Amino acid sequence: MTTGVIPGGQPPEPRPTGTRMPHQRREQVGRGSLHVDDRSRSSVITARAAASFEPVGRSVATARAFVRDTLQGWGFADVIDDAVVLTSELVTNAVVHAGTSADVLCLRTEHGVRVEVADRYPEREVPLQGSPATMGSPDREGGRGLQLCAALAGRWGVDYTPTHKNVWFQLDLPERPVGTRAAGPPLPADLLPLADGRVRVAVVQIDRKGAITAWNEDAEELFGHSATQVTGRPLTDLAAWPHTPGTGTGVAEALRLSRWEGTYGIRAADGRVNPVYASHLRVRDAGGEPSTVCLLVREHERAVLQTPARVPVSDTGQSADGQGADPFEVFIGSPAPDDLDGLLQRTVERARDMLDGDSAFLLLATDDETELEVRASTGLPSARQRFARVPVEAGPGRYGSARMPAVHDDLAAVPGAVPLLAGTGMRSVVTVPLKVEGRLTGSLGVAAEAAGRYSNEEALRLQFAADRIALAVESARLGELERLRRGSLSFLVEASDLLAGTLDRDQTLALMAQMTVPTLATWCAVYTIADPASDPYLSYVLHEDEDLIDGIKSLLSKIAPPDPVPTPGARVWPVPGEVAHRAALRSSMRSLGLSGGPTHQITSGMGPTLAVAGAVGGETVVLPLVARNRVIGMLTLGKPADEHFRQEILELAEDLSRRAALALDNARLYSERTAISQSLQRSLLPPALPTIGGVDVDVIYRAAGEGNEVGGDFYDLFPIRDGVYGFAIGDVCGTGPNAAAVTGLARHALRLLAREGLSGPAVLERLNSAILDEGDRSRFLTLLYGEMRPQDDGTAELKVVCAGHPLPLRLRQDGSVEAAAEPQPLLGVIDELELYEQTVTLDPGDVLLCVTDGVTERREGTRMLGDDGLADVLATCTGLTAGAVAARIMRAVERFASDAPSDDMAILAMRVPGVQES
C-alpha cells in the first residue's frame, strides 16, 4: 500500500478522468431520487489523503483502516462508520470481484468528506436506483456497494474512462449546535482526572520541514529546553520512544497528517524521556504556508487533550460485508503494527478504551515464567515502569498469581497487591493472563481511579480480548527475540575482535566501557582487583554525556565498591542511586536555605548534583569479571532515573563480561610479562657509560618486537685499570630466557676476566668454555671485544678481537672507510679456539663504528643494507660527533625499509677528537 497526504490549500481536480468518451456516463443518486451532478457546488477542499491497494484479499481490511484513521484524524467521527462500510464494499468489488488494484482518495471539505474508489475494470454496468432488476438481490456477490451508496451517501456517482471506473460518494456532517461537539456527564470531584498542581500545556509549532519555530513557556518548564535552544531543530531530534504507539508511523509522518492524537516521548534537557500526550493540528498561514501546531501535556494528564473515546468495538466480529471478521483485527484494528512495541502499545490503548479505564498495562513473561517484565502501559508513568520486573507468583491464593484472571475492587484495602500500580492513584484493577498452548506468556491489566469499577463480566471481556491477541503477541515477541539474538551475536563477534586486538590493560578497560555505553547502558564503571587480598579499585567510568563523567566518578569514589561475588549473572546494586538521591536532596535543601548559610554559595553546585542523581537514579547492576577461576574485577552498568534493564540486555551484558574478563586478564598477564622482560633487558645492559678522556663515545640500542621478550644483543664499556677501557658488542643467537642467560654470562664474564689482566684472546677463550659448559642452554655468540688506551699524542690505541661478529669500520678524516679487524670463529660452537688480537690506532678525527647484525641485515624485499651500504652511510659522517654518527646510522637503517625492524640493533661509535677540537 502506498499513501500520501496533502493538507490545506485548494488542490487541483482530484483525479484526471481523461477525454470524455461517447459511452461514458456520469450519474449521481441521492437518497430518494436521481438528480444532476452538482459536485461543482461542493465546498473548498481543505485536505486530502490517498492510498493504493493491491488486488489481494487483505487489502480490504487495510483500506478500512486507512479511511478510519484518516477521518478520525480529521475529527469526522460522526461519519466514520458509514465511510468505512462504503469503502469496504467498493474496495471489495475492485480487488476481489474485479481483480484489479484500487485507488482510494479521501477529500475533506468544510461540510463533510468525499471518498473516491477507482479500479481498472471500466466495462462494468452501473445499476441505477429505481431499476430493481438491474440492482439485483442484496444477496448477490457484487453490486451491493452501489446499493449501499444509494442508501447511505448524501450524493454519489460513477465516472468512466477508457482505463478506469471511479465510484465516489459524499457524506455530509450533521448540523450541531455551537459549542456542543462532544460532552460528558458531570462527575464527582474524586472521579475527575488527577493532575499534579498546575496543568501545563506545551505549545510547539513545526514548519513544513519539521523544524521547531515556536516554543512557549510551558514547554520550557516541562522539558527544560529554552526556546533559543530548540528553535530551528527538527522535532524528531527531541522525540523518543514510543514513536506514535499504536500506529505504524513515526512522529515525522504524524506531523504531515491534518490531525493526529497520540502518545510519544520528548527527551528533556537532563536526558530523561518524558511521556507526553500530543494533539497535532495542521494549519496554514495567510500566505498558504503549512505548519503544524502541537499541544503537549504530561501523559497522565491526557484527559486535557484527548477526544472522547469511540464506542467499543462489538465482540460479534461481523464485518460490513456480513462475513466474520478476524477477532484479532476486531480488537487491535487494522493494519496491525509490524513491530512488537507498536502492537503492545495499541493493545493497552484498546484495552483501556474497551473497559473505559484510566490506565492499562501489559507485561511479558520471561523464558522461565518466574517473572513478568513491563513492556507497555498507558495512563501510567511508563518511563518509570518500562522493563520493571515483578514475580509471577506475587502472593498466596488465586489473586496473587498472574496465571489466573483477577479483579481487585479496591487496592487501598490490599496495598501491594499490584506492585505496578503503587503510588499511581489507581483503586480498582482487572488483570488477565495471556497464554499460548497452556503456557503463560504475559499479563494484561486495566485500572481505574475509582473503586469498584470492574466485575467478573469485565474480566471475561478482557480475557476474551487477551485470548485473541496472545498468539500474535507471542509471535511478535519471538520475532523480536530472534532479531535481538542475531544482533547480539554480531555485537559479541565485534566485541571479541576488538578485545582480542589489544593487550594493553588501559585500552582494554576503555573498550569494555565504550562497547557497553550507550548500546547496553547509559553509564558504566569498571572496578579491578589486583590480587585476592586487594580491595576493588575504580579504574574507569564512562557516561554517554561526557559532562557527567566526573560527577559519577566522584560519587562512586565516595561509596564502598560492590562486593566481589563470583556468582555469575547480574545482581542489582541500589547504593549509587540511594546515595545520589540523598546528596541531591541535601543540595536542594541548602539551595532553599533550609540548613542555614548563604544560599548563593550553594546554588552553583546544585545543577551537577541533581544531574548526577538523575543519571544514576535508575537501575544499577553489577556483573563479576571472572577469569581463570578468580574475580579480577566488576562491570557496573546503570540507567538514568526510573529506568530498568530488560532481561535480554542483561543476558547480553553477561556474555560480554565473560569475554571482557578474559581479555582484561590476558592484558594483565601481558603487562606483567612485558615489565619483567624490560627489567631483565635493563639488567643486561650497563646502567651508564664511563667518561673517557680523549675519546668521544655514544651508544644507541633498539629492541625489536613489542618489548615483551628479552633481546640477544648487548654492549658494554667499562674501565679495566687506569687508562685502559674494555668495550664489547655482541649478539646471542635467539631471544628469550635462554638467550638472556648467555647474554648475562657473557657481559659479566668479560668484566671479571678482563680485570684479571688476561689478554683479549684469553678472555674470549675462557668465555667460550663457560658457554659450552651451559650444555643444552648454551647458544652461540658473535662478539667484538677490544681494549682501548687513549694516548698522550691525541691518538687512541685499540686491541680488537672479532669473533664471528660484523667487522668494525674505521672512518678516517678524508672520508675513507675500511674494516678495522679480520673475522675469526664465533663463540659457543667448538672447544678449541685459536684467537688473536689486532691493534688499531685511531688518529684525531677518526671514528670506529661497531654494530650488530640487525643493522647490516636490514632488508626491504630482496635488498639488504649489508656491509657496503653501511660503509656508504658512514662515509658521509666526516666531522660529526660520536652521537651524531650513531644517530645518522640509525636513521639510515630505519629509512632503508618501510617495515618495522625485526631484529635488535646496537650501535657503538667511538671518535677521537680532531686537533682543533682538543
Side-chain angles (χ1 to χ4, degrees):
M1 182 188 79
T2 58
T3 62
V5 177
I6 309 173
Q10 174 65 45
E13 277 298 314
R15 183 179 288 108
T17 58
T19 306
R20 188 81 174 268
M21 303 300 292
H23 66 276
Q24 181 178 353
R25 296 162 53 187
R26 176 180 297 180
E27 303 186 36
Q28 192 168 21
V29 182
R31 291 187 180 271
S33 60
L34 179 66
H35 54 79
V36 180
D37 182 10
D38 61 352
R39 281 175 294 167
S40 60
R41 302 195 301 269
S42 62
S43 303
V44 174
I45 297 173
T46 59
R48 62 167 56 191
S52 298
F53 303 92
E54 298 177 354
V56 292
R58 63 175 180 271
S59 294
V60 179
T62 309
R64 288 200 300 266
F66 165 71
V67 173
R68 179 181 294 277
D69 291 342
T70 300
L71 300 191
Q72 182 73 21
W74 290 347
F76 287 179
D78 296 322
V79 298
I80 284 179
D81 292 336
D82 287 349
V84 168
V85 169
L86 295 178
T87 302
S88 179
E89 290 294 340
L90 296 178
V91 173
T92 299
N93 289 341
V95 303
V96 176
H97 302 311
T100 75
S101 59
D103 299 330
V104 179
L105 175 66
C106 299
L107 302 174
R108 185 182 68 182
T109 67
E110 298 174 355
H111 305 293
V113 62
R114 170 193 173 103
V115 179
E116 299 182 4
V117 178
D119 62 34
R120 292 163 177 78
Y121 194 77
E123 290 80 8
R124 298 190 58 124
E125 182 179 352
V126 181
L128 300 178
Q129 184 171 347
S131 305
T134 305
M135 293 290 286
S137 169
D139 296 329
R140 285 181 53 191
E141 279 270 332
R144 290 183 312 209
L146 300 179
Q147 286 182 306
L148 289 173
C149 287
L152 300 178
R155 291 184 296 277
W156 69 277
V158 182
D159 292 338
Y160 277 105
T161 71
T163 59
H164 289 77
K165 180 180 87 235
N166 180 32
V167 182
W168 61 270
F169 60 86
Q170 183 156 337
L171 300 172
D172 296 328
L173 294 177
E175 294 291 336
R176 290 176 293 192
V178 176
T180 59
R181 176 180 179 186
L187 295 175
D190 58 344
L191 296 182
L192 295 176
L194 181 64
D196 297 335
R198 173 190 168 189
V199 176
R200 297 186 179 274
V201 180
V203 181
V204 183
Q205 192 156 2
I206 315 297
D207 64 16
R208 68 186 309 164
K209 298 180 179 178
I212 298 172
T213 58
W215 184 268
N216 72 341
E217 293 181 359
D218 279 359
E220 295 184 9
E221 183 67 26
L222 286 175
F223 310 122
H225 302 287
S226 65
T228 55
Q229 291 174 327
V230 299
T231 300
R233 292 178 57 185
L235 180 64
T236 51
D237 285 357
L238 304 180
W241 183 95
H243 289 278
T244 325
T247 73
T249 59
V251 173
E253 288 78 9
L255 290 173
R256 290 195 291 269
L257 298 175
S258 298
R259 184 177 180 84
W260 181 87
E261 285 186 24
T263 304
Y264 52 87
I266 295 293
R267 190 175 297 278
D270 59 3
R272 298 174 58 184
V273 175
N274 295 339
V276 298
Y277 190 83
S279 176
H280 297 175
L281 179 64
R282 192 79 163 164
V283 298
R284 54 180 176 150
D285 58 19
E289 191 69 16
S291 63
T292 301
V293 178
C294 305
L295 305 181
L296 311 174
V297 296
R298 296 182 180 92
E299 204 276 340
H300 63 274
E301 297 173 349
R302 61 189 299 151
V304 176
L305 299 179
Q306 188 175 21
T307 56
R310 294 180 298 198
V311 177
V313 179
S314 172
D315 292 339
T316 59
Q318 293 295 320
S319 66
D321 58 6
Q323 299 176 353
D326 182 1
F328 168 77
E329 182 182 308
V330 170
F331 176 72
I332 206 66
S334 179
D338 296 331
D339 60 310
L340 177 62
D341 287 336
L343 176 61
L344 299 184
Q345 193 65 31
R346 183 179 288 188
T347 298
V348 295
E349 295 277 356
R350 295 294 171 91
R352 184 194 62 179
D353 293 343
M354 184 178 71
L355 297 188
D356 194 22
D358 296 310
S359 65
F361 51 89
L362 193 150
L363 302 84
L364 294 184
T366 56
D367 291 339
D368 57 3
E369 297 184 27
T370 59
E371 287 186 313
L372 295 168
E373 190 175 64
V374 179
R375 293 300 302 270
S377 64
T378 181
L380 296 174
S382 56
R384 175 170 67 90
Q385 303 293 346
R386 185 165 164 81
F387 298 124
R389 289 174 293 279
V390 297
V392 170
E393 307 292 342
R398 167 186 172 182
Y399 295 107
S401 174
R403 301 180 187 277
M404 298 292 291
V407 177
H408 293 278
D409 292 330
D410 192 351
L411 293 177
V414 281
V418 184
L420 182 64
L421 300 179
T424 61
M426 300 297 159
R427 296 284 298 277
S428 57
V429 60
V430 52
T431 61
V432 297
L434 277 70
K435 293 185 177 181
V436 175
E437 297 180 351
R439 182 174 60 86
L440 179 69
T441 60
S443 177
L444 176 63
V446 178
E449 296 177 355
R453 284 281 298 276
Y454 302 116
S455 63
N456 289 339
E457 181 180 352
E458 282 78 11
L460 289 174
R461 292 182 61 196
L462 190 61
Q463 185 67 71
F464 182 84
D467 292 342
R468 274 138 187 82
I469 65 168
L471 185 59
V473 168
E474 179 66 4
S475 177
R477 187 188 74 86
L478 293 176
E480 181 196 63
L481 188 60
E482 178 63 22
R483 290 190 297 272
L484 181 61
R485 285 177 176 169
R486 289 184 180 181
S488 300
L489 181 60
S490 175
F491 172 79
L492 290 174
V493 169
E494 182 179 356
S496 299
D497 288 343
L498 290 173
L499 291 171
T502 179
L503 288 171
D504 182 82
R505 176 181 176 276
D506 293 337
Q507 190 173 0
T508 301
L509 290 172
L511 283 174
M512 290 171 57
Q514 291 167 6
M515 284 186 293
T516 57
V517 176
T519 305
L520 305 181
T522 305
W523 65 273
C524 134
V526 183
Y527 291 86
T528 56
I529 303 174
D531 55 71
S534 302
D535 293 329
Y537 174 74
L538 182 62
S539 299
Y540 203 92
V541 175
L542 184 65
H543 190 280
E544 62 182 6
D545 184 353
E546 295 182 357
D547 295 336
L548 296 176
I549 294 177
D550 291 338
I552 297 176
K553 186 182 299 183
S554 176
L555 172 70
L556 295 178
S557 63
K558 295 176 182 177
I559 62 179
D563 296 331
V565 179
T567 306
R571 69 181 192 276
V572 178
W573 186 36
V575 178
E578 295 172 355
V579 173
H581 176 73
R582 290 196 296 267
L585 182 60
R586 288 194 300 269
S587 177
S588 300
M589 293 178 65
R590 288 196 300 268
S591 69
L592 297 174
L594 299 180
S595 58
T599 301
H600 67 277
Q601 297 180 358
I602 305 297
T603 305
S604 61
M606 178 180 175
T609 301
L610 294 178
V612 171
V616 302
E619 189 174 45
T620 301
V621 297
V622 178
L623 298 103
L625 299 174
V626 181
R628 299 175 176 90
N629 298 321
R630 185 173 75 86
V631 180
I632 63 170
M634 290 163 291
L635 179 63
T636 303
L637 307 179
K639 286 283 190 178
D642 301 330
E643 291 194 19
H644 300 266
F645 287 97
R646 60 185 302 177
Q647 189 63 35
E648 293 84 358
I649 294 298
L650 293 180
E651 293 173 358
L652 179 59
E654 185 177 357
D655 286 339
L656 176 64
S657 68
R658 287 194 290 267
R659 290 164 169 79
L662 188 59
L664 184 61
D665 198 47
N666 289 339
R668 177 187 63 83
L669 295 174
Y670 180 82
S671 298
E672 292 177 356
R673 177 180 176 182
T674 301
I676 294 172
S677 299
Q678 292 174 349
S679 178
L680 181 57
Q681 185 74 66
R682 286 192 298 269
S683 70
L684 300 178
L685 300 175
L689 297 178
T691 301
I692 303 175
V695 179
D696 180 19
V697 181
D698 205 346
V699 175
I700 293 179
Y701 180 83
R702 291 283 190 274
E706 300 177 352
N708 60 340
E709 290 188 354
V710 183
D713 290 10
F714 70 96
Y715 66 89
D716 202 357
L717 181 64
F718 56 91
I720 298 176
R721 52 188 177 274
D722 290 343
V724 180
Y725 297 87
F727 65 90
I729 184 168
D731 185 2
V732 178
C733 174
T735 59
N738 291 335
V742 176
T743 301
L745 172 65
R747 177 170 172 266
H748 295 294
L750 286 174
R751 289 198 174 207
L752 291 173
L753 295 173
R755 288 169 179 172
E756 290 294 326
L758 299 177
S759 65
V763 168
L764 268 59
E765 289 169 1
R766 297 281 184 92
L767 176 59
N768 180 65
S769 299
I771 294 174
L772 292 175
D773 289 342
E774 291 292 310
D776 294 338
R777 295 183 300 174
S778 66
R779 300 288 184 96
F780 66 80
L781 166 67
T782 67
L783 180 64
L784 171 65
Y785 173 74
E787 294 180 359
M788 178 174 55
R789 294 181 178 85
Q791 305 296 314
D792 294 338
D793 60 358
T795 63
E797 183 182 81
L798 286 74
K799 294 183 178 180
V800 182
V801 180
C802 186
H805 199 77
L807 299 178
L809 298 180
R810 176 181 180 180
L811 171 65
R812 297 182 180 273
Q813 279 191 314
D814 60 3
S816 61
V817 177
E818 60 185 12
E822 296 177 356
Q824 300 185 56
L826 50 77
L827 308 181
V829 178
I830 59 178
D831 293 331
E832 299 296 333
L833 285 180
E834 294 183 1
L835 301 175
Y836 58 92
E837 63 184 8
Q838 297 173 268
T839 302
V840 179
T841 300
L842 295 182
D843 296 327
D846 288 355
V847 175
L848 184 70
L849 177 67
C850 310
V851 299
T852 58
D853 60 3
V855 174
T856 56
E857 294 181 1
R858 177 74 162 147
R859 294 179 180 275
E860 173 72 15
T862 59
R863 298 187 306 120
M864 186 173 71
L865 180 63
D867 295 333
D868 294 339
L870 179 62
D872 292 340
V873 177
L874 181 60
T876 65
C877 298
T878 304
L880 299 181
T881 64
V885 171
R888 177 170 291 187
I889 298 298
M890 180 57 70
R891 284 197 301 271
V893 173
E894 291 176 342
R895 294 173 180 174
F896 185 80
S898 57
D899 296 337
S902 59
D903 195 4
D904 300 336
M905 293 183 293
I907 301 174
L908 172 61
M910 295 178 288
R911 179 177 182 271
V912 177
V915 177
Q916 296 180 351
E917 298 176 54
S918 60

